[in-house]
C-alpha cells in the first residue's frame, strides 16, 4: 500500500542561528511568525496522521502550523527525536572543532563514530529507518515536524544513499520533504518551502 510521508523541518530558533548543537531551544519570534503565516495561508498539507519530534522547537512549530488543533492533535513521537549529540549538546560547532578537532574529524568521516557520547550517524539512520518501515507508518498520509537531522536520515534510508551523503543534504527551516511509496521503494519530492 502506498504511503505519503511529509516531513516538515521546524521554524528558526536561536541554536540554528548560532550554529549550535540543538539544546531544545524554543522558536524565536521570526520563526513562530513564519510558521503561523504558513498555517494562515493554508500551506500545510492534509494528513491522516500527524506527529512531531519531542523537542520544544518541533512542538511549537506543530502548534503554530495548527497541527495540534485540527481533527486530532499531532502526537509527540520519541523515535522522531533529534540526533543525540551527547556532551556536545548546546555547544557551538566552532567551539567543539577548536577544543576537540580529532573528535569532530571522526564524527564527520566515520558513520559509526560517536565521540560526543551520543548517537552515531549509523544509529540515527537505523532509528529513523525503522520508523519509516514500521507498520504504524504504512498507508495513508503522514505528516511530522522533525529536526533537520531526522529528515536527512530519512532520506538516506528511503533512497538507499551512502552515509557520506548525509553531510551534503541541507534542510532549511520550515520546508517540506515528501516521500511517497512503500517499504523498500520510496520516491522523493524535496525542499518545498512553507510561508
Amino acid at each position: 500500500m502506498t504511503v505519503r510521508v511529509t516531513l516538515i523541518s521546524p521554524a528558526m530558533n536561536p541554536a540554528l542561528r548560532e550554529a549550535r548543537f540543538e539544546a531544545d531551544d524554543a522558536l524565536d519570534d521570526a520563526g513562530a511568525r513564519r510558521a503561523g503565516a504558513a498555517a494562515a495561508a493554508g500551506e500545510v498539507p492534509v494528513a491522516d496522521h500527524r506527529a512531531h519530534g519531542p523537542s520544544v522547537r518541533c512542538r511549537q512549530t506543530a502548534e503554530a502550523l495548527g497541527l495540534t488543533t485540527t481533527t486530532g492533535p499531532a502526537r509527540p513521537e520519541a523515535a522522531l527525536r533529534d540526533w543525540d549529540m551527547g556532551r556536545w549538546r548546546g555547544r557551538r560547532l566552532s567551539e567543539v572543532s577548536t577544543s576537540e578537532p580529532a573528535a569532530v574529524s571522526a564524527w564527520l568521516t566515520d558513520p559509526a563514530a560517536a565521540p560526543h557520547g551520543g548517537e552515531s550517524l549509523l544509529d540515527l539512520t537505523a532509528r529513523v529507518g525503522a520508523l519509516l518501515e514500521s507498520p504504524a507508518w504504512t498507508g495513508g498520509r503522514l505528516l511530522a515536524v522533525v529536526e533537520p537531522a531526522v529528515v536527512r536520515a530519512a532520506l538516506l534510508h528511503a533512497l538507499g544513499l551512502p552515509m557520506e551523503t548525509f553531510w551534503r543534504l541541507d534542510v532549511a527551516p520550515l520546508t517540506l520533504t515528501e516521500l511517497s511509496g512503500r517499504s523498500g521503494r520510496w520516491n522523493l519530492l524535496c525542499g518545498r518551502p512553507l510561508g
Side-chain angles (χ1 to χ4, degrees), residues 4-97:
R4 180 174 301 275
V5 177
T6 302
L7 303 173
I8 299 176
S9 58
M12 187 60 78
N13 79 344
L16 189 57
R17 285 191 194 284
E18 298 167 11
R20 279 189 289 117
F21 293 105
E22 185 59 46
D24 210 16
D25 292 343
L27 296 181
D28 63 20
D29 291 339
R33 279 193 307 275
R34 188 166 167 230
E43 295 179 3
V44 181
V46 174
D48 303 313
H49 308 284
R50 290 168 298 284
H52 60 80
S55 70
V56 170
R57 175 167 105 139
C58 286
R59 178 184 48 79
Q60 288 180 335
T61 299
E63 289 170 354
L65 291 173
L67 301 179
T68 58
T69 59
T70 56
T71 59
R75 66 188 189 288
E77 178 72 55
L80 294 174
R81 69 189 176 279
D82 198 5
W83 192 358
D84 181 358
M85 287 290 114
R87 61 188 170 75
W88 292 354
R89 189 169 189 246
R91 296 175 67 192
R92 292 178 191 266
L93 177 57
S94 60
E95 170 194 344
V96 176
S97 295

Side-chain angles (χ1 to χ4, degrees), residues 142-163:
L142 307 160
L143 176 68
V145 178
V146 298
E147 298 293 345
V150 173
V151 174
R152 293 157 70 190
L155 293 175
L156 289 185
H157 175 81
L159 301 176
L161 299 172
M163 286 292 150

